[in-house]
Amino acid sequence: CAAHDPASIAIASDIETPDKAGGKPENELTPDDTSYQILRVNFAINGEQGVTIPYTPAYIPLIDRMLKIPCAHYWWNGYGYDWARIMAAGHQVPAEHQIDLMLAAHILQSDVPLGLGFWAPFYSNYGAWKHLSGVDPEKYACIDGPQTYRCGVGIINDLIQAGQWRAFKEDCHDLYHTALKPAQDVGVLIDRPALGEFHTNLAVKQLERLHKGGALSAE
């Protein structure tokens, strides 16, 4: 279906790692979190059903096929966490189809928490599930997919209705995939000693300005 009409389907995708144990909010995860071990991968193609697949040799080819399907893939904090681990594991996913819903949510409403557990009640009446991560990780993982899917449909529709879709599509999605990620892959050489000296100079100038401002205030 996706091969013939990519616009007709979307897949909510998500990975589970030791970093996510205990239901840690997605917005608190960063590329610097230590674990690159993928425990399982979750998928959903609608808001009613989800599957979780163990990341073991027997299932990795199937997971790879799912990730490569040329349709929209909904992630929550893909930019900040999941995508780096998926690519480090050797999966070459079509970049233009990867949509980070957490960034989309931030464009829609920038002054609220960005965890999936916070946003889900606006688009789903399922109820709480993040607490299941430690006691029933398989059920928790199966729920993650449909909840992500529901948020994806809702957030994207709300962005379009609010006239904010262009801001997300061009200023976040396209910028990352066409400029920031390729630059990250190439790498930027950093002169660490010079950077340290630069930070020191800035700190000195900041103190000078604060002292000068304090002196003026005293006068």
Side-chain angles (χ1 to χ4, degrees), residues 89-114:
H91 301 284
Q92 300 300 318
V93 295
E96 68 275 13
H97 299 308
Q98 312 308 309
I99 298 175
D100 190 336
L101 296 176
M102 195 173 84
L103 282 177
H106 185 65
I107 294 295
L108 184 64
Q109 190 69 39
S110 62
D111 59 344
V112 298
L114 289 174

Side-chain angles (χ1 to χ4, degrees), residues 14 31 57 60 77-78 88 111 128 150 179 209:
D14 177 49
I60 288 176
N77 198 19
D111 59 344
R150 290 170 178 174
R209 286 182 174 273

Side-chain angles (χ1 to χ4, degrees), residues 42-76:
N42 315 321
F43 297 106
I45 60 171
N46 56 50
E48 306 303 322
Q49 293 178 308
V51 298
T52 183
I53 306 173
Y55 197 78
T56 58
Y59 295 108
I60 288 176
L62 173 61
I63 292 171
D64 191 65
R65 285 176 56 194
M66 289 289 294
L67 293 171
K68 287 181 178 177
I69 292 176
C71 67
H73 286 255
Y74 296 158
W75 300 82
W76 201 274

Side-chain angles (χ1 to χ4, degrees), residues 121-145:
F122 294 101
Y123 303 105
S124 168
N125 59 7
Y126 181 85
W129 83 98
K130 288 291 186 179
H131 63 287
L132 298 173
S133 175
V135 296
D136 196 346
E138 290 81 10
K139 182 176 180 179
Y140 159 82
C142 284
I143 299 170
D144 242 18

Side-chain angles (χ1 to χ4, degrees), residues 6-200:
S8 69
I9 189 172
I11 302 175
S13 307
D14 177 49
I15 65 170
E16 301 297 339
T17 70
D19 289 331
K20 293 186 175 183
K24 185 177 181 180
E26 293 83 359
N27 59 305
E28 295 180 8
L29 298 167
T30 73
D32 295 326
D33 277 275
T34 57
S35 179
Y36 269 66
Q37 178 189 4
I38 300 175
L39 301 175
R40 54 182 64 250
V41 184
N42 315 321
F43 297 106
I45 60 171
N46 56 50
E48 306 303 322
Q49 293 178 308
V51 298
T52 183
I53 306 173
Y55 197 78
T56 58
Y59 295 108
I60 288 176
L62 173 61
I63 292 171
D64 191 65
R65 285 176 56 194
M66 289 289 294
L67 293 171
K68 287 181 178 177
I69 292 176
C71 67
H73 286 255
Y74 296 158
W75 300 82
W76 201 274
N77 198 19
Y79 172 83
Y81 189 81
D82 293 37
W83 297 342
R85 284 148 179 81
I86 284 292
M87 289 183 285
H91 301 284
Q92 300 300 318
V93 295
E96 68 275 13
H97 299 308
Q98 312 308 309
I99 298 175
D100 190 336
L101 296 176
M102 195 173 84
L103 282 177
H106 185 65
I107 294 295
L108 184 64
Q109 190 69 39
S110 62
D111 59 344
V112 298
L114 289 174
L116 179 61
F118 175 88
W119 280 83
F122 294 101
Y123 303 105
S124 168
N125 59 7
Y126 181 85
W129 83 98
K130 288 291 186 179
H131 63 287
L132 298 173
S133 175
V135 296
D136 196 346
E138 290 81 10
K139 182 176 180 179
Y140 159 82
C142 284
I143 299 170
D144 242 18
Q147 293 292 74
T148 300
Y149 186 94
R150 290 170 178 174
C151 287
V153 173
I155 289 170
I156 289 173
N157 284 336
D158 283 350
L159 283 172
I160 293 171
Q161 291 180 14
Q164 295 173 288
W165 175 250
R166 186 216 60 79
F168 167 70
K169 177 66 168 58
E170 296 182 11
D171 298 340
C172 294
H173 178 83
D174 292 347
L175 176 64
Y176 172 77
H177 289 299
T178 62
L180 299 181
K181 182 58 174 65
Q184 184 184 55
D185 292 339
V186 172
V188 179
L189 296 178
I190 298 176
D191 187 333
R192 296 277 179 192
L195 182 63
E197 183 179 346
F198 176 70
H199 285 164
T200 300

